[in-house]
Amino acid sequence: MELDLLSKITALSKRRGILFPNSEIYGGIGGFYDYGPVGVEMKNNLKRMWWKYMVDDRDDVVGIDGTIITHPKVWEASGHITGFADEMAECKKCHQRFRPEDIEGKCPKCGGTDFSEAKKYNMLFKTEVGVIEGETTPAYLRGEACQTIYLDFKNVVDSSRVKVPFGIAQIGKAFRNEVTPNKFTFRTREFEQWDLQFFVHPSDMGKWFEYWKEQRMSFYKNLYRKSENLRFYQHPKEKLVFYAKDAFDIEYLAPWGWAENEGIHWRGDYDLTQHSKFSGKDLSYTDPITNERYIPHIVETSGGVDRTFLYLLFDAYEEETLANGELRTVLKINPEIAAYKAAVFPLVGNKEEITGKAREIYTMLKKDMKVMWDDRGNIGKRYRYQDEIGTPKCITIDYQTLEDGTVTVRDRDTMEQVRVKVEELKESLTK
Ligand code: ATP
C-alpha cells in the first residue's frame, strides 16, 4: 500500500458524498469533517453493527447515551485537567514530561539532555455554562466518551437488572484539541468513540481481559476484508499509566504503517475510586448473593468510529483495469456497511413501460432495504458511480423485463450479470 491511497480516498470521499471538509466554503477548519449523504448511511450501518455485536446479541451489556458536557469536576477526577494542563517537553531518554521551567538544562529524573519541543498538552475544549456574566461556570467538552459511563454506573445498577459481571456500552462524540490533526479523519478534533466498560469482580480481571481482547479482534476481523492487516500491540510495562496493569491496542496496517484502531485497557478500580473520592458518593457494589461489597474492576474497550470508517475505506478500495483498458475504481466494502444494498436502473428514462416497471420494483425493494434509484446518464456511468460508493448489486429493468419478468442483476465485485425473476429478487439480494 502506498501513501497515495490516502489522497485517492480523500478525493473519492469528496467526489461521491462520503466525507467533506467541514466549513469548506470558508476555507475549512483543521481537524473537522462532515459525513455526506453516502457517508452518513455507511457510518450509521457501522455503528449499528457494533451495537448489535456489543449490546443486542448479549445478555450482559446495556447501553447509555450520555452528554458531551458534564460537571467540570469529572475532568479533575479523571486527571485530564491537572495531568494535561501544562506546557511540557518530553525527555527523549526516559520519556518523562516536564514543564520547561523545571528542566534547567537537564532532565530532573535521568539527567538526559535531549528534549522534544515543548507543547501544550491540555487538549480539552473549554466552554461555559450559563449566560449571565460573572455567573457562568467553566465546563469542558468531553475529551473521552467513557467518563459518562462511570458517572452513570450507580444509576444503571440501581435502575436495571444487571449483575456483575456486566458492561455498559456507549457510542458518542469526544473532542480533543489535537496539536496536529492529520491524515484525513485519522486524527481529528471532533470524533466518535465506541466504548465498553465491563465491570467485574477483582479476582476475575485476567479472564475477562483476555475474553474482551479476543471478542474485539474478532469483531474487526469480521468487519474488514483483509484480516492480515490487523494485529495486537502490547504496551510495554514501563509505559503504562500507573493504575493500568496491562493494555493492548488493536492495530491496523494503514498506508503509513501500523496505527491504533482500538485500545483494550486493564483499568482496575481507578475510575470508580476516583469518582467516589471526588464526588463523595459511594460507588461500591454489593453482590446480591454473597453480600460482598467491593468496587468493581474495569476492562475497557475503546475504539474510534471515524478511524474505523477510514480504515474500512482503505480496506475496500480497489482499482482494476478492465478488458477494454478502462480503469475501474470500486469500494469492495462489507455489504452490511454499504450505504445502499442495491441500485435500481430503468434501462432508458423515456419509456413509460420501463420506468413504470422499474418504479414498481424499486418501491417493492425499498420496504425491506435501502435502495437507490438512478436514471441519470448511460448504464456504464451508473455502474461507475455505484462501484465507487460500494453498492453490492445493480438491477436493470429493460425490454426483456416486460416480456419475461426478469431483470439483470450485476455484482459489484465480479461484475457478473445474471437474469433473476422479479419474484425471486428480494431473496437473491438478501442471500
Ligand atoms: P492516539 O494514540 O492515536 O492518540 P489514544 O491512545 O489517545 O489514540 P484513546 O484515548 O485510547 O486513544 O481513544 C480510543 C480510540 O479513539 C482510539 O483507539 C482511536 O481510534 C480514537 N481516537 C483517539 N483520538 C482520536 C482523534 N484525535 N481522532 C480520531 N479518532 C481518535
Side-chain angles (χ1 to χ4, degrees), residues 164 166 197-205 208 266-273 294-300:
V164 168
F166 77 95
Q197 306 294 319
F198 201 76
F199 302 90
V200 307
H201 188 277
S203 64
D204 284 341
M205 271 299 277
W208 284 107
W266 181 306
R267 301 192 65 98
D269 64 358
Y270 177 73
D271 307 283
L272 292 181
T273 304
Y294 59 94
I295 297 264
H297 283 218
I298 295 176
V299 181
E300 169 186 71

Side-chain angles (χ1 to χ4, degrees), residues 390-406:
T391 308
K393 304 280 179 187
C394 289
I395 300 156
T396 305
I397 288 83
D398 56 15
Y399 293 98
Q400 198 181 325
T401 313
L402 306 178
E403 282 161 27
D404 66 3
T406 64

Side-chain angles (χ1 to χ4, degrees), residues 144 176 178 185-189 191 193 260-263 265 302-304 307:
E144 56 184 23
R176 292 182 192 175
E178 295 277 358
T185 52
F186 171 74
R187 187 175 302 290
T188 56
R189 292 183 165 129
F191 54 97
Q193 293 183 312
E260 180 172 337
N261 195 154
E262 171 159 324
H265 304 128
S302 177
R307 202 176 273 189

Side-chain angles (χ1 to χ4, degrees), residues 49 70 88 93 125 146 149 188 214 220 225 255 283 324 336 339 347 372:
M49 191 193 236
T70 60
M88 292 190 231
K93 201 165 149 209
F125 277 96
C146 64
I149 297 183
T188 56
E214 295 317 315
Y220 286 110
R225 277 196 307 154
L283 297 181
N324 64 4
E336 268 190 72
L347 179 69
M372 185 195 261

Side-chain angles (χ1 to χ4, degrees), residues 122-142:
N122 196 330
M123 296 195 291
L124 287 179
F125 277 96
K126 230 178 173 169
T127 183
E128 287 179 347
V129 175
V131 290
I132 299 166
E133 217 175 303
E135 290 179 23
T136 59
T137 315
Y140 304 91
L141 308 190
R142 61 182 179 192

Side-chain angles (χ1 to χ4, degrees), residues 124-372:
L124 287 179
F125 277 96
K126 230 178 173 169
T127 183
E128 287 179 347
V129 175
V131 290
I132 299 166
E133 217 175 303
E135 290 179 23
T136 59
T137 315
Y140 304 91
L141 308 190
R142 61 182 179 192
E144 56 184 23
C146 64
Q147 291 296 327
T148 36
I149 297 183
Y150 312 136
L151 303 180
D152 284 339
F153 169 75
K154 191 169 158 35
N155 276 331
V156 170
V157 170
D158 292 347
S159 64
S160 63
R161 313 300 296 160
V162 295
K163 281 192 304 215
V164 168
F166 77 95
I168 303 179
Q170 180 182 228
I171 300 178
K173 290 253 179 171
F175 299 80
R176 292 182 192 175
N177 209 349
E178 295 277 358
V179 182
T180 48
N182 60 63
K183 301 190 188 76
F184 200 26
T185 52
F186 171 74
R187 187 175 302 290
T188 56
R189 292 183 165 129
E190 173 173 345
F191 54 97
E192 270 185 295
Q193 293 183 312
W194 45 36
D195 288 339
L196 170 77
Q197 306 294 319
F198 201 76
F199 302 90
V200 307
H201 188 277
S203 64
D204 284 341
M205 271 299 277
K207 181 180 95 185
W208 284 107
F209 188 73
E210 279 311 308
Y211 172 86
W212 281 110
K213 259 178 67 193
E214 295 317 315
Q215 282 292 307
R216 295 307 301 145
M217 181 57 102
S218 118
F219 173 84
Y220 286 110
K221 287 207 160 150
N222 182 45
L223 176 67
Y224 300 124
R225 277 196 307 154
K226 302 170 192 160
S227 57
E228 66 277 17
N229 288 341
L230 284 163
R231 72 169 189 196
F232 278 120
Y233 164 77
Q234 184 173 21
H235 290 224
K237 292 276 181 256
E238 64 278 11
K239 291 216 169 149
L240 292 174
V241 283
F242 69 92
Y243 56 80
K245 201 162 149 203
D246 207 350
F248 281 81
D249 289 344
I250 292 179
E251 291 190 326
Y252 181 83
L253 187 56
W256 57 89
W258 290 98
E260 180 172 337
N261 195 154
E262 171 159 324
I264 294 140
H265 304 128
W266 181 306
R267 301 192 65 98
D269 64 358
Y270 177 73
D271 307 283
L272 292 181
T273 304
Q274 280 296 98
H275 286 300
S276 274
K277 235 191 258 169
F278 277 74
S279 67
K281 297 283 175 330
D282 178 12
L283 297 181
S284 63
Y285 171 83
T286 305
D287 187 287
I289 294 161
T290 63
N291 276 326
E292 185 190 356
R293 219 172 103 190
Y294 59 94
I295 297 264
H297 283 218
I298 295 176
V299 181
E300 169 186 71
T301 74
S302 177
V305 183
D306 310 88
R307 202 176 273 189
T308 303
F309 189 97
L310 179 63
Y311 293 161
L312 259 176
L313 296 181
F314 294 147
D315 180 66
Y317 186 92
E318 295 283 349
E319 286 176 357
E320 295 170 357
T321 310
L322 304 179
N324 64 4
E326 223 180 274
L327 192 74
R328 170 172 101 114
T329 302
V330 53
L331 272 192
K332 294 189 172 172
I333 204 152
N334 189 321
E336 268 190 72
I337 305 299
Y340 301 92
K341 303 304 151 219
V344 176
F345 309 156
L347 179 69
V348 288
N350 56 2
K351 259 251 169 305
E352 180 50 34
E353 300 104 291
I354 289 187
T355 51
K357 187 74 197 162
R359 273 278 164 203
E360 201 182 287
I361 292 170
Y362 171 71
T363 312
M364 168 190 83
L365 293 175
K366 214 171 148 72
K367 284 190 197 128
D368 294 295
M369 63 188 83
K370 189 100 185 158
V371 281
M372 185 195 261

